[in-house]
Amino acid sequence: MTRSEALFERAKNVLPGGVNSPVRAFRAVGGAPRFLVKGLGSHVLDEDGLEYIDYVGSWGPMVLGHSHPDILKAVYDRMTNGLSFGAPTTLEVEMAEKMVEMVPNIEMVRMVNSGTEAVMSAVRLARGATGREKLIKFEGCYHGHSDAMLVGAGSGALTQGEPDSAGVTKGAARDTLLAQYNDLSSVERLLTANKGEVAAVVVEPVAANMGVVPPQDGFLEGLRELCDKHGALLIFDEVITGFRLAAGGAQEYFGVRADLVTFGKIIGGGMPVGAYAGSRKLMEQVAPCGPVYQAGTLSGNPVAMAAGLAQLKILTDHPECYEVMAASARKIAAGLRESAEKHGVSMQVNQIGSLLCPYFTDTPVDCFAAAKTSDTEKYAKYFNGMLSRGVYLAPSQFEAMFVSSAHTGNDLAFTLQAADETLQMLK
Ligand code: KE4
């Protein structure tokens, strides 16, 4: 028994499923999750002393790789003066100012402690600001685990929300309507059928929780137009795309304006964090200056702010990172396609910026229904073949590969060699 296997058995006695977040449990790919002890640059080390090239990167925060010296120094310098006060600190003001400087169309920010909290709060603000109760989200998009967001499953393009988790009441799910990603008509039908009742359309500008599905040309622009026509707010959930697709996130990358934007991951540099942001008019409706209540003991925590601010400053000072990461992702995508072709494996590879995802299907993946045609058994074999060769991927077909600025040319060559050997075994 490996140390990870032994630790996993021990963990299962005191943690549900042995983990603190379900996807980490390797349920979709089998075997015991690797218990990691160290990360440096693009590599991580597990409890058995095995090293991997890491394409999870804590699910997005480690955009500069692990243990960046400037980020570690910022954390160390901050923590020696105290970890948390529950009182204002200069760092949270500097963080908000930095985000406003980098992201288009936002004037104010509220820090929270997770992406879930950011989306939950932005949705409450949208409902409070519009006086409307209904929401439109997209099947297969993930926005954290607040009740209103745990709605999916429903068949067909238009469905009244059905909870997809125990404990989410029909009442909580009732006001969440499901549309189809990259299908503007499914949104228009919902807005028309619920005239004057939809507070907001919540969307991942790049759907990165069904694998990676980029918006088709005109999709995001169409959402903007439909929201304007129907008086609904457009919420970009940029927990993944924020500060990753571009310094200004998806709004900058696609040139589409959202009314509210949610963030997480990168702005914490690896520490627990979330944020939502928008115009002054909207954000000043949030307590204590407005009627929309939202609060948090550790919101704006100085250590998290120090880590996040250090990461944002590096991204600002080195904008070339974005093209470097995108070029690396393009290289991996091209190499995977080449190997799949060579070995006769049906594979689609979607890539945008530093995000990519291989699907085991011969159907082009431009929506959730197409993503679900992927052979997830084959993905599991691919995952384990890569893991055994020292490449650590998302342990689920419906996640993204996260490329960082720390991934080197040697990492890419090693990754593609491992993929070629693995795909040869799969055919
Ligand atoms: P958190 O509450 O996990 O910080 O953020 C929720 C969230 C919100 N919006 C988007 C677009 C997200 O991708 C997420 C969380 N992402 C997943 C990875 N697909 C986190 C990994 C996990 O659940 O353990």
Side-chain angles (χ1 to χ4, degrees), residues 51-101:
E51 190 169 328
Y52 308 91
I53 300 172
D54 178 19
Y55 289 102
V56 174
S58 183
W59 302 100
M62 312 324 289
V63 70
L64 300 174
H66 295 282
S67 307
H68 190 292
D70 296 2
I71 296 175
L72 296 188
K73 181 177 185 313
V75 168
Y76 185 77
D77 290 350
R78 174 57 250 172
M79 71 187 193
T80 51
N81 293 305
L83 301 177
S84 181
F85 308 110
T89 65
T90 310
L91 272 171
E92 56 202 291
V93 181
E94 289 174 359
M95 169 60 95
E97 287 170 343
K98 187 67 180 170
M99 290 174 69
V100 168
E101 171 203 313

Side-chain angles (χ1 to χ4, degrees), residues 20-24 58-59 113-117 119 142-145 204 206 208-209 237-241 262 264-265 273-274 398-400 402:
N20 281 308
S21 198
V23 71
R24 303 179 192 169
S58 183
W59 302 100
N113 297 284
S114 69
T116 293
E117 225 188 312
V119 173
Y142 178 70
H143 303 286
H145 63 88
E204 290 182 65
V206 172
N209 286 284
D237 178 354
E238 294 221 44
V239 168
I240 284 186
T241 58
T262 57
K265 300 181 193 276
V273 75
F398 303 110
E399 300 291 351
F402 294 90

Side-chain angles (χ1 to χ4, degrees), residues 28 87 143 175 195 210-211 221 242 258 267 298 306 347 396 401 417:
H143 303 286
D175 292 325
K195 207 164 229 20
M210 51 174 93
E221 294 80 354
I267 60 169
L298 292 169
M347 180 187 270
S396 159
M401 270 180 87
Q417 177 59 34

Side-chain angles (χ1 to χ4, degrees), residues 368-381:
F368 186 44
K372 288 191 289 185
T373 68
S374 180
D375 179 341
T376 52
E377 289 300 310
K378 197 162 273 191
Y379 180 85
K381 292 193 180 96

